[in-house]
Amino acid sequence: MTDKTAVILLNLGGPENEEQIRPFLLRLFSDRDIIRLPMQPLLSRLIVHFRSPKVIENYRKIGGGSPLLKITMAQAETLEAALHERGLDAHVLVAMRYTAPRSDDAVREALSRGAKTILALPLYPHFSQATTGSSLSDLGRAAAKAVTSGAIRIKEVKSFCDHPTYLDVLADKVRQGLNSFSSEHHGKVEVIFSAHALPQKMIDQGDPYLSEIQKTIQGVLQRVEPVSHHLAFQSRSGPVRWMKPGTDEVIRALAAQGKKALLLVPVSFVSDHIETLYEIDILYKELALSSGILEYRRTESLNTDPAFISALARIVTDRLSAKF
């Protein structure tokens, strides 16, 4: 069997049905890489107990479960084809942090296919210990358990927040979003880059997430027409102090200023899931329209957009050739 490379796409995962929601939340709130709580085993169970009914209802509004696994598997399939077109004989696999398939599964599959090099590609554009760091550590543990003889090289893409091909794709989505507004609001659209919040304590302790988000925004703004823009944070939950301002707070403030057109850019997400399909598309849209906003749009998620898959292929080949 010839030596091969396996690319493993890493993501948090999401419950595909209602039965998976409580276990998913428990694993999430129990992970000290994401959130640290006093008496965490007990407090995480209490949080899940009280949050589950609301979370279940939110998932029902988007079809009963997360589409993240389906989208990520499609990304893996199309990325593998794109890499083959570039002459790289690589299998592309998927490992989720809190739902199946897990890192153990992906590493075993990579080894069974003869891989001697694993490239870990987290689908979080911006490094944070809570996301990329946690997923890479999980993959490293799985590899250490699975490799009993010989050696396997593990390479990592820790961030692609300012990779030119990624910025090109995201900027194009922003451009398309701006062009979707009526002529009445052309040039008057407020752009909100909405990122997943982290506990503020992590940023205070040096986590680079915020600075990497800002790099992405700067790169996008260099590629589009001048726009009035704002950075806000969503998905804040649990008894800790989160990054500010909240996306809902910014929407209310802009509406109070008399702004009438908003474009939401889910800057820290590359795939549709609960944060885009419920929070941005339903919750924040209802808030915006009830607050006086007349036109509310969201940029399309990257998902399996051919340009995004091509960007991922470039990121992979650049990393394997030590250019990135």
Side-chain angles (χ1 to χ4, degrees), residues 27 88 102 111 118 151-152 176 185 193 219 263 278 310 314 320:
R27 285 191 287 269
L88 178 60
R102 303 292 298 276
L111 294 175
I118 289 177
I152 187 165
Q176 292 173 19
H185 294 124
F193 292 93
L263 176 65
Y278 172 68
S310 179
R314 175 68 179 275
L320 290 173

Side-chain angles (χ1 to χ4, degrees), residues 83-236:
L83 291 174
H84 288 176
E85 289 177 0
R86 290 170 175 255
L88 178 60
D89 183 16
H91 294 293
V92 182
L93 307 168
V94 170
M96 297 296 189
R97 186 69 181 89
Y98 304 116
T99 55
R102 303 292 298 276
S103 289
D104 290 341
D105 303 314
V107 169
R108 282 194 296 267
E109 178 70 12
L111 294 175
S112 72
R113 296 189 181 207
K116 296 299 182 182
T117 298
I118 289 177
L119 176 64
L121 176 55
L123 291 178
Y124 326 107
H126 315 94
F127 182 90
S128 170
Q129 183 56 40
T131 51
T132 303
S134 178
S135 289
L136 290 176
S137 295
D138 186 52
L139 182 68
R141 288 189 294 268
K145 287 192 298 183
V147 180
T148 56
S149 63
I152 187 165
R153 293 190 305 164
I154 297 183
K155 294 189 174 184
E156 301 171 344
V157 175
K158 291 190 175 181
S159 166
F160 54 91
C161 68
D162 57 354
H163 195 284
T165 57
Y166 164 66
L167 293 175
D168 288 344
V169 176
L170 187 56
D172 191 52
K173 294 298 183 185
V174 172
R175 200 175 297 111
Q176 292 173 19
L178 291 170
N179 290 337
S180 71
F181 284 81
S182 66
S183 57
E184 176 185 359
H185 294 124
H186 182 72
K188 302 176 183 178
V189 178
E190 300 288 329
V191 176
I192 300 177
F193 292 93
S194 187
H196 198 296
L198 288 181
Q200 182 60 42
K201 184 176 181 179
M202 296 187 69
I203 304 300
D204 295 341
Q205 292 175 339
D207 193 287
Y209 178 71
L210 176 58
S211 64
E212 297 217 340
I213 291 283
Q214 292 168 335
K215 284 182 183 179
T216 294
I217 293 173
Q218 181 182 18
V220 169
L221 293 175
Q222 291 171 349
R223 289 165 166 78
V224 301
E225 63 185 79
V227 292
S228 177
H229 62 279
H230 315 268
L231 173 58
F233 301 94
Q234 64 182 96
S235 309
R236 302 184 298 174

Side-chain angles (χ1 to χ4, degrees), residues 277-297:
L277 300 176
Y278 172 68
E279 281 192 79
I280 294 180
D281 289 356
I282 298 176
L283 185 64
Y284 294 150
K285 182 177 182 179
E286 291 175 352
L287 172 63
L289 297 181
S290 66
S291 299
I293 300 298
L294 298 180
E295 283 195 74
Y296 175 96
R297 304 277 191 277

